[in-house]
Coordinates of all heavy atoms in Angstrom, one line a residue:
Y1 N 71.6 -6.6 -39.7 CA 70.6 -6.3 -40.8 C 69.2 -6.5 -40.3 O 68.9 -7.3 -39.4 CB 70.8 -7.3 -42.0 CG 72.0 -6.9 -42.8 CD1 73.3 -7.3 -42.4 CD2 71.9 -6.2 -44.0 CE1 74.4 -6.9 -43.1 CE2 73.1 -5.9 -44.7 CZ 74.3 -6.2 -44.3 OH 75.4 -5.9 -45.0
V2 N 68.3 -5.8 -40.8 CA 66.8 -5.8 -40.4 C 66.0 -5.7 -41.6 O 66.3 -5.1 -42.6 CB 66.5 -4.7 -39.4 CG1 66.7 -3.3 -40.1 CG2 65.1 -4.8 -38.8
K3 N 64.8 -6.4 -41.6 CA 63.8 -6.3 -42.7 C 62.5 -6.8 -42.1 O 62.4 -7.4 -41.1 CB 64.2 -7.2 -43.9 CG 64.1 -8.7 -43.6 CD 64.3 -9.5 -44.9 CE 64.2 -11.0 -44.6 NZ 64.4 -11.8 -45.8
R4 N 61.4 -6.4 -42.9 CA 60.1 -7.0 -42.6 C 59.5 -7.6 -43.8 O 59.8 -7.2 -44.9 CB 59.1 -5.9 -42.1 CG 58.8 -4.8 -43.0 CD 57.9 -3.7 -42.4 NE 57.8 -2.5 -43.2 CZ 56.7 -2.3 -44.0 NH1 55.8 -3.1 -44.1 NH2 56.7 -1.2 -44.7
V5 N 58.8 -8.7 -43.6 CA 58.3 -9.6 -44.7 C 56.9 -9.9 -44.4 O 56.5 -10.2 -43.3 CB 59.2 -10.9 -44.8 CG1 58.7 -11.7 -46.0 CG2 60.6 -10.6 -45.0
Q6 N 56.0 -9.9 -45.5 CA 54.7 -10.3 -45.3 C 54.6 -11.7 -44.8 O 55.3 -12.6 -45.3 CB 53.9 -10.2 -46.7 CG 53.7 -8.8 -47.2 CD 52.5 -8.2 -46.5 OE1 51.7 -8.8 -45.8 NE2 52.5 -6.8 -46.6
L7 N 53.7 -11.9 -43.8 CA 53.6 -13.2 -43.1 C 53.2 -14.3 -44.2 O 53.6 -15.5 -44.0 CB 52.6 -13.2 -42.0 CG 52.5 -14.4 -41.1 CD1 53.9 -14.6 -40.4 CD2 51.4 -14.2 -40.0
G8 N 52.4 -13.9 -45.2 CA 52.0 -14.9 -46.2 C 53.1 -15.5 -47.0 O 52.9 -16.5 -47.7
E9 N 54.3 -14.9 -46.9 CA 55.5 -15.5 -47.6 C 55.9 -16.8 -47.0 O 56.6 -17.6 -47.6 CB 56.6 -14.5 -47.6 CG 56.5 -13.2 -48.3 CD 56.8 -13.4 -49.8 OE1 57.6 -14.4 -50.1 OE2 56.4 -12.6 -50.6
Y10 N 55.5 -17.0 -45.8 CA 55.8 -18.3 -45.1 C 54.6 -19.1 -44.9 O 53.7 -18.7 -44.2 CB 56.4 -18.0 -43.7 CG 57.6 -17.1 -43.8 CD1 57.5 -15.7 -43.7 CD2 58.9 -17.6 -44.0 CE1 58.6 -14.9 -43.8 CE2 60.0 -16.8 -44.1 CZ 59.9 -15.4 -44.0 OH 61.0 -14.6 -44.1
R11 N 54.5 -20.2 -45.6 CA 53.3 -21.1 -45.6 C 53.6 -22.4 -44.8 O 54.8 -22.9 -44.8 CB 52.9 -21.4 -47.0 CG 52.3 -20.2 -47.7 CD 51.7 -20.6 -49.0 NE 51.0 -19.5 -49.6 CZ 51.6 -18.6 -50.4 NH1 52.9 -18.8 -50.7 NH2 51.0 -17.6 -51.0
T12 N 52.6 -22.9 -44.2 CA 52.7 -24.2 -43.5 C 53.1 -25.3 -44.4 O 52.4 -25.4 -45.5 CB 51.4 -24.6 -42.7 OG1 51.1 -23.5 -41.9 CG2 51.6 -25.8 -41.9
Q13 N 54.0 -26.1 -44.1 CA 54.4 -27.2 -45.0 C 53.9 -28.5 -44.3 O 53.8 -28.7 -43.1 CB 55.9 -27.3 -45.1 CG 56.5 -26.0 -45.9 CD 57.9 -26.1 -46.1 OE1 58.6 -27.1 -45.8 NE2 58.5 -25.1 -46.7
K14 N 53.7 -29.5 -45.2 CA 53.3 -30.8 -44.7 C 54.5 -31.6 -44.2 O 55.6 -31.2 -44.3 CB 52.6 -31.6 -45.8 CG 51.3 -30.9 -46.2 CD 50.6 -31.6 -47.3 CE 49.3 -30.8 -47.7 NZ 48.6 -31.4 -48.8
R15 N 54.2 -32.8 -43.6 CA 55.3 -33.6 -43.0 C 56.3 -33.9 -44.1 O 55.9 -34.3 -45.3 CB 54.6 -34.9 -42.5 CG 55.6 -35.6 -41.6 CD 54.9 -36.8 -40.9 NE 54.9 -37.9 -41.8 CZ 54.5 -39.1 -41.5 NH1 54.1 -39.3 -40.2 NH2 54.5 -40.1 -42.4
G16 N 57.5 -33.9 -43.8 CA 58.6 -34.1 -44.7 C 59.0 -32.9 -45.5 O 59.9 -33.0 -46.4
G17 N 58.4 -31.7 -45.2 CA 58.8 -30.5 -45.9 C 60.2 -30.2 -45.7 O 60.8 -30.4 -44.6
R18 N 60.9 -29.6 -46.7 CA 62.3 -29.3 -46.6 C 62.6 -27.9 -46.1 O 63.7 -27.5 -45.9 CB 62.9 -29.5 -47.9 CG 63.0 -31.0 -48.3 CD 63.4 -31.2 -49.7 NE 64.6 -30.3 -50.1 CZ 65.1 -30.2 -51.3 NH1 64.5 -30.9 -52.3 NH2 66.1 -29.4 -51.5
G19 N 61.5 -27.1 -45.8 CA 61.8 -25.7 -45.4 C 62.1 -24.8 -46.6 O 62.4 -25.2 -47.7
K20 N 62.1 -23.5 -46.3 CA 62.4 -22.5 -47.3 C 63.4 -21.5 -46.7 O 63.4 -21.3 -45.4 CB 61.2 -21.7 -47.7 CG 60.2 -22.5 -48.6 CD 59.1 -21.6 -49.0 CE 58.2 -22.4 -50.0 NZ 57.1 -21.5 -50.5
S21 N 64.2 -20.9 -47.5 CA 65.1 -19.9 -47.0 C 64.3 -18.7 -46.5 O 63.4 -18.2 -47.2 CB 66.0 -19.4 -48.1 OG 66.8 -18.3 -47.7
G22 N 64.6 -18.2 -45.3 CA 63.9 -17.1 -44.7 C 64.7 -15.8 -44.8 O 64.1 -14.7 -44.6
M23 N 66.0 -15.9 -45.0 CA 66.8 -14.7 -45.1 C 68.2 -15.1 -45.6 O 68.7 -16.1 -45.2 CB 66.9 -14.1 -43.7 CG 67.6 -12.7 -43.7 SD 67.5 -12.0 -42.0 CE 68.1 -10.4 -42.3
S24 N 68.7 -14.2 -46.5 CA 70.1 -14.4 -46.9 C 71.1 -13.9 -45.9 O 70.8 -12.8 -45.2 CB 70.4 -13.7 -48.2 OG 69.6 -14.3 -49.2
T25 N 72.2 -14.5 -45.6 CA 73.1 -14.0 -44.7 C 74.6 -14.1 -45.3 O 74.8 -14.9 -46.2 CB 73.1 -14.9 -43.4 OG1 73.3 -16.2 -43.7 CG2 71.8 -14.7 -42.6
K26 N 75.4 -13.3 -44.7 CA 76.8 -13.3 -45.1 C 77.6 -14.3 -44.2 O 77.4 -14.3 -43.0 CB 77.4 -11.9 -44.9 CG 77.2 -10.9 -46.0 CD 77.9 -9.7 -45.7 CE 77.9 -8.7 -46.9 NZ 78.6 -7.4 -46.5
D27 N 78.5 -15.0 -44.8 CA 79.5 -15.8 -44.1 C 79.1 -16.3 -42.7 O 78.4 -17.2 -42.6 CB 80.9 -15.1 -44.1 CG 81.4 -14.7 -45.4 OD1 81.1 -15.5 -46.4 OD2 82.0 -13.7 -45.6
T28 N 79.7 -15.6 -41.7 CA 79.4 -16.1 -40.3 C 78.2 -15.5 -39.7 O 78.0 -15.6 -38.5 CB 80.7 -15.7 -39.4 OG1 80.9 -14.3 -39.5 CG2 81.9 -16.5 -39.9
D29 N 77.4 -14.7 -40.4 CA 76.2 -14.1 -39.9 C 75.1 -15.1 -39.7 O 75.1 -16.2 -40.3 CB 75.7 -13.0 -40.9 CG 74.8 -12.0 -40.2 OD1 74.6 -12.1 -38.9 OD2 74.2 -11.1 -40.9
F30 N 74.1 -14.8 -38.8 CA 73.0 -15.7 -38.6 C 71.8 -14.9 -38.1 O 72.0 -13.8 -37.6 CB 73.3 -16.8 -37.5 CG 73.8 -16.2 -36.2 CD1 72.9 -16.0 -35.2 CD2 75.1 -16.0 -36.0 CE1 73.3 -15.5 -34.0 CE2 75.6 -15.5 -34.8 CZ 74.7 -15.2 -33.8
V31 N 70.6 -15.5 -38.3 CA 69.4 -14.8 -37.8 C 69.3 -14.9 -36.3 O 69.4 -16.0 -35.7 CB 68.1 -15.4 -38.5 CG1 66.9 -14.7 -38.0 CG2 68.2 -15.3 -40.0
E32 N 69.1 -13.8 -35.6 CA 69.1 -13.7 -34.2 C 67.7 -13.5 -33.6 O 67.3 -14.0 -32.5 CB 70.1 -12.7 -33.7 CG 70.4 -12.8 -32.2 CD 71.6 -12.0 -31.8 OE1 72.1 -11.3 -32.6 OE2 72.0 -12.2 -30.6
H33 N 66.9 -12.6 -34.2 CA 65.6 -12.3 -33.7 C 64.5 -12.4 -34.8 O 64.7 -12.0 -35.9 CB 65.5 -10.8 -33.2 CG 66.6 -10.6 -32.1 ND1 66.5 -11.1 -30.9 CD2 67.7 -9.9 -32.2 CE1 67.6 -10.7 -30.2 NE2 68.3 -9.9 -31.0
L34 N 63.4 -13.0 -34.5 CA 62.3 -13.1 -35.4 C 60.9 -12.9 -34.7 O 60.7 -13.5 -33.6 CB 62.2 -14.5 -36.0 CG 61.1 -14.9 -36.9 CD1 61.1 -14.1 -38.2 CD2 61.1 -16.4 -37.2
F35 N 60.1 -12.0 -35.2 CA 58.9 -11.6 -34.5 C 57.7 -11.6 -35.5 O 57.9 -11.3 -36.7 CB 58.9 -10.2 -33.9 CG 60.0 -10.1 -32.8 CD1 61.2 -9.6 -33.1 CD2 59.7 -10.4 -31.5 CE1 62.2 -9.5 -32.1 CE2 60.6 -10.3 -30.5 CZ 61.9 -9.8 -30.8
V36 N 56.5 -12.0 -35.0 CA 55.3 -11.8 -35.8 C 54.6 -10.6 -35.2 O 54.4 -10.5 -34.0 CB 54.3 -13.0 -35.7 CG1 53.0 -12.7 -36.4 CG2 55.0 -14.2 -36.2
A37 N 54.4 -9.5 -36.0 CA 53.9 -8.3 -35.5 C 53.0 -7.6 -36.5 O 53.2 -7.8 -37.7 CB 55.0 -7.4 -35.1

């Protein structure tokens, strides 16, 4: 699967941040490539 997302969707978190979901995946799938472009 492929998609592009506005960079502003991902904001810097402070120490102790829990992170945010960056992409939904199916079962055994995983994110393999990520680029800023």
